[in-house]
Structures are given as C-alpha cells and as structure tokens.
Amino acid sequence: MVTVQKQKYREEKGNTFMKVVILAGGYGTRISEESQNKPKPMIELGGYPILWHIMKTYSHYGYNEFVICAGYKQYAIKEYFANYFLHCSDVTFDFTASNKMTVHSEHAEPWKVTVVDTGLNPMTGGRVKRIKEYIGDEAFLLTYGDGVSDINIKKLVEFHQKHGKLVTMSAYNTKQRFGVLDIDSNGIIREFREKTQGDGNMINIGFMVCEPKIFDYIEGDKTVLEKEPLETIAKDENLVAYKHDGFWQCMDTLREKQELEAMWESGKAPWKVWND
C-alpha cells in the first residue's frame, strides 16, 4: 500500500524514486590477483572502486538510493561508505589539539546506501530475494557490480514503462561468452539461455528494470537469476530487451581491469557521463 507521504515523494521525484540494487557479493575468482583482499566491486579504477563508477552513472540520472547485495568481504564495502569523506577529501590530523581531525572541502554525494550482507554462497537470484524487504512492492533497477557503461538510465526506464513487461534487460552486441538473448522484431525476449557455439552476440549486460513480482520467480539461495527465473519470464513473453549500442565493458579479468584503467587515465573514459 502506498502512503500519501510516499505518493507525494514519488510525484516530486518522478521516476527517480526507484531504488538501485547492485549485485556485489561474489568471490571474483577470475580476477583473483585483485580480489584476494577485497570484493570485486571494490577493485579500483582511477582510485575509485568500480562500484563507485556504477553508482555515479545512476546518480547522474537522478537515481540516488542504492541497495548493495554484499557477501564476500562485505565489511570492505561497509567500511568504504562509513569513511567516505576520508576516501574522497583532504584531511588534517592535528595531534597537538587532542587528536583533532579536520575534513577539508567535504564532497557529499546525494546518496542513500544500504549495504546488505546477503551471505557468502547464495547465487544471484538468492541475493536478490534476500533484499526484498528493502524494496517493498515497487519497481527497482538491478545491475551487476563489475560492469561500466554509458547507458542512458532515463531512456531505459522510459522504455520499461512504455512496454509494461515484468523485466527489462539491457542487451549489447559483443563476442564475449555470456547468456544469449533471442529477441523478436518487437523487442520481446523469446528465449534466455546460456551461450553455445553458433550463437549470435547479443548478450545480457545487466542494467535491468524489474517489477516486484520478480521475487515470486525466485525460490531461494540456490536460485541463479539468469537461469530459471529469467528463462521462465522469457517463455511467458514478459522479458523485453533494451538494446544498448554505446559503450559497455565488464571487469572480469586483470587484462580488462588494465584496459579500463587506461581509458580512465586517458581522461576519455567512455562511461564517465557525469561531471566532476
């Protein structure tokens, strides 16, 4: 049930009242050189965790309330936000004045961040199921904590609302091995499955919009979101593709991390849609 106060908030904020759920609990075994001491979403690009880059993208379009599905070394994510000013501002420690600390030029993001410990071993669907209480009966945005893009979140949400499906998934053309999307001429995803030889290159890159009914498709911790839930929703013709033809790159390996780092250092990172 939507209260009068919540309805007023929605009207003031427009579509941007939706929460952003970010999957950030995996072990990151393919980039173990970096993930031994921190969760993959906390691996840095240009001195900032890739999680921060993803959040900045959503924030650029006015989406500032985040629910982080943490797991492996989740304390690192909590510590980062608990000490955000220390990470992002100049600080003076004056030991002559009773250990006084002064934070200079505080830069506060307009964010509300809830970090949820969704456990070490739940699969992607299980992690989403565990944050249901923080979402309630509302549509929400959902993505992975290891991929950056210049995707237009505003247009993505408008596309979702126009088509009225249970889930909108962003699709991208690449040669990498990810889940395959069979998309018809109307944009409806007819089939969602794992990639096999001979398949095309249109893949799931996250950046989804989900209606709350998606929770009904997730059984429990062992449920892989990209398996039975999304496959069933696709068979029901309730999964639609938002085709993104701009930039997207995941950070699954050390080589990919180095490539993204080089883009950032060049001052022309294609996913940086926000202003400093």
Side-chain angles (χ1 to χ4, degrees):
M1 181 177 180
V2 179
T3 64
V4 174
Q5 184 177 11
K6 183 175 288 187
Q7 182 62 38
K8 182 179 179 181
Y9 175 75
R10 286 184 177 185
E11 291 172 354
E12 291 174 349
K13 300 295 288 184
N15 292 330
T16 59
F17 71 86
M18 281 195 288
K19 296 181 178 70
V20 181
V21 177
I22 303 178
L23 291 164
Y27 287 95
T29 53
R30 292 177 184 169
I31 191 169
S32 59
E33 300 94 338
E34 293 272 351
S35 63
Q36 287 183 349
N37 299 314
K38 64 182 72 172
K40 183 160 67 166
M42 293 304 294
I43 295 173
E44 295 182 353
L45 296 175
Y48 298 95
I50 191 171
L51 178 64
W52 177 90
H53 290 261
I54 296 167
M55 293 170 71
K56 289 287 283 187
T57 299
Y58 280 101
S59 185
H60 175 71
Y61 292 100
Y63 294 90
N64 292 307
E65 188 164 353
F66 299 91
V67 179
I68 311 298
C69 299
Y72 172 69
K73 296 189 182 297
Q74 48 85 26
Y75 63 85
I77 301 176
K78 294 176 180 176
E79 185 277 334
Y80 179 77
F81 289 110
N83 297 293
Y84 190 77
F85 286 136
L86 294 181
H87 292 289
C88 301
S89 303
D90 295 333
V91 183
T92 296
F93 299 96
D94 189 349
F95 299 113
T96 66
S98 301
N99 294 331
K100 181 180 178 181
M101 182 182 75
T102 303
V103 179
H104 305 282
S105 302
E106 295 181 1
H107 175 69
E109 303 288 352
W111 297 347
K112 178 180 179 181
V113 184
T114 301
V115 182
V116 183
D117 183 0
T118 57
L120 285 175
N121 298 313
M123 307 305 287
T124 49
R127 294 191 189 281
V128 172
K129 187 83 168 184
R130 286 194 177 202
I131 55 88
K132 179 180 179 181
E133 66 178 288
Y134 296 98
I135 300 300
D137 190 26
E138 297 179 348
F140 61 98
L141 296 153
L142 171 66
T143 198
Y144 305 108
D146 61 356
V148 288
S149 176
D150 62 353
I151 189 167
N152 188 311
I153 305 298
K154 181 176 183 292
K155 290 183 178 180
L156 167 65
V157 173
E158 290 173 349
F159 180 91
H160 174 78
Q161 294 173 333
K162 176 182 178 181
H163 287 78
K165 299 298 182 180
L166 180 60
V167 177
T168 296
M169 174 188 294
S170 294
Y172 186 73
N173 193 18
T174 180
K175 295 180 180 179
Q176 298 187 49
R177 292 184 173 272
F178 295 89
V180 173
L181 309 178
D182 183 4
I183 306 169
D184 69 14
S185 59
N186 295 316
I188 301 298
I189 298 176
R190 297 290 183 180
E191 186 177 9
F192 180 91
R193 56 188 167 77
E194 289 304 298
K195 186 176 177 68
T196 60
Q197 279 192 328
D199 277 322
N201 297 320
M202 193 65 73
I203 62 143
N204 160 34
I205 60 170
F207 294 99
M208 307 178 208
V209 188
C210 307
E211 295 298 322
K213 189 173 175 59
I214 193 175
F215 293 116
D216 297 339
Y217 288 79
I218 303 172
E219 184 175 346
D221 282 355
K222 295 182 179 180
T223 303
V224 178
L225 181 68
E226 299 79 7
K227 291 287 190 178
E228 186 173 330
L230 290 180
E231 289 173 355
T232 301
I233 293 170
K235 290 177 182 177
D236 293 341
E237 298 185 9
N238 225 346
L239 179 63
V240 66
Y242 176 79
K243 296 181 181 179
H244 175 60
D245 57 5
F247 175 84
W248 172 82
Q249 179 61 57
C250 71
M251 188 187 64
D252 209 28
T253 65
L254 182 59
R255 178 182 60 81
E256 290 168 341
K257 190 251 187 201
Q258 292 169 342
E259 290 174 352
L260 290 170
E261 186 79 40
M263 293 179 196
W264 182 264
E265 292 300 324
S266 74
K268 298 179 180 180
W271 68 89
K272 186 179 181 296
V273 296
W274 62 90
N275 296 319
D276 292 325

